[in-house]
Every structure is written in structure tokens, then in C-alpha cells.
Amino acid sequence: MFTPFRNKFLPEGDKWDSYVNCFKRIEVPAKTILLKEGEISKKMFLIEKGCIRVWYNNNGKDITSQFFFENEMVSSIESFRKGIPSLTAIETIEPGIIWWIHKKDLNRIIEEIKEIPRLRDMFINTIFERAFDYMKYFFSAIKDTPQQRYLNLIKERPEVIKRVPQHYIASYLGISTVHLSRIKSKLAKAKQ
Amino acid sequence: MFTPFRNKFLPEGDKWDSYVNCFKRIEVPAKTILLKEGEISKKMFLIEKGCIRVWYNNNGKDITSQFFFENEMVSSIESFRKGIPSLTAIETIEPGIIWWIHKKDLNRIIEEIKEIPRLRDMFINTIFERAFDYMKYFFSAIKDTPQQRYLNLIKERPEVIKRVPQHYIASYLGISTVHLSRIKSKLAKAKQ
DNA sequence: CGGATTTGATAACAAATGTTATTGCCCGTG
DNA sequence: CACGGGCAATAACATTTGTTATCAAATCCG
């Protein structure tokens, strides 16, 4: 059994099995749409193998907002939580193995978690950390040049550079593919 | 008594007085530093009158990350929560009246709140909303042109345009003061 | 294996944005 | 009232970044 969150989130002991049985396993090819733009999100995904991007359409161009890899959970979080149409789509980049849980089941688990102080605090902490992350992404988008953000990405998420096609990375950085190519070639020259 | 959060956050009845007594009132001139960059935040501020900006230094230039007005709460949230040195400074723009609460007192209040399901859920919801906000700011910084972000600001926070000196707005948008001037003059011409 | 599609690099030109310098206005203070 | 500092507009020039087009390499698929 695939158990990435056993020690991280879930209580040990009896509850475990009832939680784990809520997850369904699927195998998907590359470029599978797991959630369409405009659809209301009912599933949270957990990646056993593969990689996923979250993107949205901006005047015909698609912009990638995030990448996810093994052992990470993915959902269109605002749609999932509020039951509103998703601004973003969720799509696999590589073929992979995904586990998913239905919103109803996850909500039931969360309600139980909120009654256990240690888990409740972990839950709150996770939301805070996610907020801090977005805050830092926002700051970086304002203060750093595209080149600097590319260097940050190399340093903090080398996985992305290795596994993700370059045009998705460019759209994530908010620049054209041509400009990303230029940055790479400039860095390669500087390194010599 | 100044009670902006009475209905929003705090329980009615007995607890109220003990909570409200934790807040201290100060009057401050413009350009008062309420928290220095690098300092560990111990206070959360609540603005009765005036306006505040949060900013950080980036290679000698200062960049404004947020503006706050009446009835809003301000802190260097990551420093405040984790007890680490603040990346940002907090500074008044106008002379004003500020209420502040010490971290110890606020933590005590939060611990009590977390035991009351309705308030606990509001607390969790507030953190989620803050995370969604930062997420949207991040998306906007990537996908929108500076001109579009300026128009968004006019629409969503007209207060900022009216009360804040333009060079702070430019630093908030991540552009030079010259470029902001150009955007304004371009928009003025287009409007004629 | 071979053709189609995806991916990435580069050149040439256009548009957006930054830098520096200058000017003028407004406003607080002596 | 005069003066200085903070603030905003504008011009001239430099740099960054986008757009479009072309080509080559890698990869997928029948």
C-alpha cells in the first residue's frame, strides 16, 4: 500500500484503515485532464508516480501556475473548498499513478481531525505554510528578474527543470519560450 | 470603544472585555516604523485611523508588499507566527491611531477560540482566504501587464490610489516611477 | 524503420520597461 | 513670505523582453 502521509497527517491506529479505503487508484497517460477549467472540483489527488501541472487560460495562452510530483497532493483548492467553478485545469505531464479521494470523504476526515488538537494544529499550520508560500511567490514575482526566478527554480525545485518541458517552465515564469532560451544560453556562457 | 472586530471575530458576552483590554492604543505621526526589517515581530496592529505599508529592501530599493487602511489588522505574519526575524518592515504612511496587542495575549485568545467550533472554523477560513488572496496576487503578477495590474488596483482598492504617494504604488506594482507615470498619461489620453 | 509531432535554439525586428536628468508643483517649517 | 524637501511629469537614451519565423534535434507512434 502507498502510504506517503501515514506519518505526516493521519492518526495511527484504528482510524487509518477507514481513511485509506477512501482513496481510489488510477493509472493515467500523459496529458490527461484531471480537472477542466470551469468545472467544480470534487476530488483531491495524490501522486504516487508522475508529474502534474496546474494551469489556466489567459487570452488564449496557457499559463502554468504550479507543478507537482510524487507524494504531493493536488487540487484546485479554492474550487474544492468553496464549491465554485475552477479557474484552473489540472493535467498530467507524464504518465503516472494517481490516488484520489472524494470531497465528501475528505471533509469527513477533516471534521474528525479538527477534534484532535495535535492534528488540528498541524492542519492549521499546513494552511499557514501554504499561505506563506504563495506570499513568497508573489514577492518574488514582483522583485526578481525572470533570470533570478529561473535560478531560484533550479535551486529550490531542480525536479522541475529536469522533468518538465521548457515551454511549461517559461509559462510558469511568465516569460516567452524565446526569452527562457536566451536566459539559459546566457547562463551557460557565463559559466564557462 | 473602537470595536471593528466585535461581530467579525470575537465571541459575544463575558469574554469580550478580557479580550478588548489586551489592546493598547497609540497615536503615531506619518513615517513611523512600527516594525523594523530583521526584528522579531511581537505585536499585531489594528488600524483605527490612518494607513500603513509593509515593505522590504531589495538591493537598496524598497519594495512595498502591501497597504492597509482603517479596520484592517497588520503584522509581519510569518515573523509573528514563527518567531523568526521579519523580512519586512511596517511603517505608517499617514499620521494615525493604532491599537496593538502582544503576541502572548493574542495566542491565548486564539487558543480559546480554537475550542469553539464556530470560531475555529472562522479562523481556519480566514487563513484560507488569505492564502487564496496571495495566490491570486501571484497569478496576477505573472499573467497581467503592469498596466492591467494598475487598473485592477484602481478597481479593487481605489483607496490606495487616492491616499498613497505614487512612488509607493510603483514599488508595489514592481515598476519604476517613470513607467507608472507613463501608464497614467497613456490611460488619460485613451479616455479623452 | 520513417514520417509526424514536440521540443528547443537562434536571428531579426518591435514593443515594453528601466535609468538618468531636468523641470515644476505643492506643502510644511522657520 | 522664502526656502527646501518630497513628489510627479516628461524627454532621451539604454536595456530587457516579446513576436515571428526558421531550422535542427529529439521523441513518439504507426
Side-chain angles (χ1 to χ4, degrees):
Chain A
M1 183 60 192
F2 176 55
T3 61
F5 289 114
R6 175 152 207 154
N7 298 319
K8 243 166 123 184
F9 286 119
L10 295 176
E12 320 202 1
D14 294 343
K15 296 272 185 186
W16 171 253
D17 282 339
S18 76
Y19 289 166
V20 101
N21 287 333
C22 296
F23 282 87
K24 281 98 181 168
R25 181 183 192 273
I26 50 175
E27 292 191 28
V28 291
K31 303 208 177 190
T32 306
I33 302 279
L34 298 173
L35 176 74
K36 283 182 202 158
E37 194 176 339
E39 192 177 339
I40 293 175
S41 169
K42 295 287 183 199
K43 296 176 184 172
M44 165 107 33
F45 302 98
L46 174 52
I47 307 175
E48 175 178 343
K49 180 85 194 74
C51 114
I52 284 179
R53 75 186 183 109
V54 175
W55 61 274
Y56 53 93
N57 189 289
N58 186 50
N59 294 114
K61 280 181 209 161
D62 71 78
I63 297 189
T64 300
S65 74
Q66 281 168 287
F67 300 107
F68 295 90
F69 298 96
E70 283 79 9
N71 299 343
E72 294 183 314
M73 296 196 77
V74 190
S75 80
S76 175
I77 180 69
E78 195 173 10
S79 170
F80 189 80
R81 183 167 169 86
K82 298 187 183 177
I84 59 180
S86 175
L87 299 172
T88 55
I90 300 179
E91 181 180 343
T92 57
I93 293 177
E94 302 171 355
I97 300 168
I98 312 288
W99 294 80
W100 64 268
I101 183 171
H102 194 276
K103 180 175 172 157
K104 275 183 298 189
D105 295 320
L106 185 58
N107 280 152
R108 210 195 61 235
I109 296 175
I110 288 174
E111 286 309 311
E112 291 180 21
I113 279 179
K114 284 198 295 196
E115 299 308 324
I116 304 167
R118 191 177 60 86
L119 295 178
R120 177 186 68 202
D121 288 347
M122 283 171 88
F123 178 71
I124 289 172
N125 211 56
T126 301
I127 314 168
F128 264 115
E129 287 299 330
R130 190 56 71 105
F132 294 152
D133 284 346
Y134 281 124
M135 189 175 77
K136 283 172 198 160
Y137 291 146
F138 170 51
F139 288 6
S140 174
I142 294 294
K143 76 174 209 288
D144 295 326
T145 62
Q147 176 169 325
Q148 188 57 54
R149 282 185 295 122
Y150 179 67
L151 290 169
N152 292 347
L153 194 61
I154 291 176
K155 195 175 173 191
E156 281 155 37
R157 308 205 66 195
E159 212 56 12
V160 173
I161 310 293
K162 278 180 216 141
R163 292 170 67 176
V164 174
Q166 201 161 301
H167 59 283
Y168 293 150
I169 298 179
S171 87
Y172 173 77
L173 294 173
I175 62 180
S176 65
T177 56
V178 175
H179 190 45
L180 179 54
S181 251
R182 282 194 281 239
I183 288 171
K184 284 182 67 176
S185 100
K186 191 175 149 197
L187 290 172
K189 274 176 199 157
K191 208 172 181 181
Q192 284 174 359
Chain B
M1 183 59 192
F2 175 55
T3 60
F5 288 113
R6 172 148 212 160
N7 298 318
K8 243 167 122 184
F9 286 119
L10 296 175
E12 321 203 0
D14 293 344
K15 297 271 184 185
W16 171 253
D17 282 340
S18 77
Y19 289 165
V20 101
N21 288 333
C22 296
F23 282 87
K24 284 95 179 171
R25 181 182 191 274
I26 51 176
E27 293 190 28
V28 291
K31 301 207 180 194
T32 305
I33 302 280
L34 297 173
L35 176 73
K36 285 182 201 156
E37 194 176 338
E39 192 178 335
I40 292 174
S41 169
K42 295 286 181 198
K43 296 175 185 172
M44 166 104 36
F45 302 98
L46 174 52
I47 306 175
E48 175 177 344
K49 180 87 195 72
C51 112
I52 284 179
R53 74 186 183 109
V54 175
W55 61 273
Y56 54 93
N57 189 290
N58 185 50
N59 296 112
K61 281 180 209 162
D62 70 79
I63 297 189
T64 300
S65 73
Q66 282 167 282
F67 300 106
F68 295 90
F69 298 95
E70 283 79 9
N71 300 342
E72 294 184 313
M73 296 197 76
V74 190
S75 81
S76 177
I77 180 69
E78 194 173 11
S79 170
F80 188 79
R81 182 165 169 88
K82 298 189 184 175
I84 60 180
S86 175
L87 299 171
T88 54
I90 300 178
E91 182 180 342
T92 58
I93 293 178
E94 303 172 354
I97 301 168
I98 311 289
W99 295 79
W100 64 269
I101 183 170
H102 193 277
K103 180 174 170 152
K104 274 182 300 191
D105 294 320
L106 185 58
N107 280 151
R108 209 195 62 238
I109 295 174
I110 289 174
E111 285 310 312
E112 292 181 20
I113 279 179
K114 284 198 296 195
E115 299 307 325
I116 304 167
R118 192 177 59 87
L119 296 177
R120 178 186 66 202
D121 288 347
M122 283 172 87
F123 178 70
I124 289 173
N125 211 55
T126 302
I127 313 168
F128 264 115
E129 287 298 330
R130 189 56 69 106
F132 295 152
D133 284 345
Y134 281 123
M135 191 176 74
K136 283 172 198 160
Y137 291 146
F138 170 51
F139 288 4
S140 174
I142 294 294
K143 78 174 208 287
D144 295 327
T145 62
Q147 175 170 322
Q148 188 56 53
R149 283 186 293 122
Y150 179 67
L151 289 170
N152 292 347
L153 194 61
I154 290 176
K155 193 175 172 193
E156 281 155 37
R157 307 205 65 195
E159 213 56 15
V160 173
I161 310 293
K162 280 180 212 140
R163 292 168 69 175
V164 174
Q166 201 161 304
H167 60 285
Y168 294 150
I169 297 178
S171 87
Y172 172 78
L173 295 173
I175 62 179
S176 65
T177 56
V178 175
H179 190 47
L180 179 53
S181 252
R182 281 196 281 238
I183 288 172
K184 284 183 66 176
S185 99
K186 190 176 149 196
L187 291 173
K189 274 174 200 156
K191 208 172 179 180
Q192 284 175 359

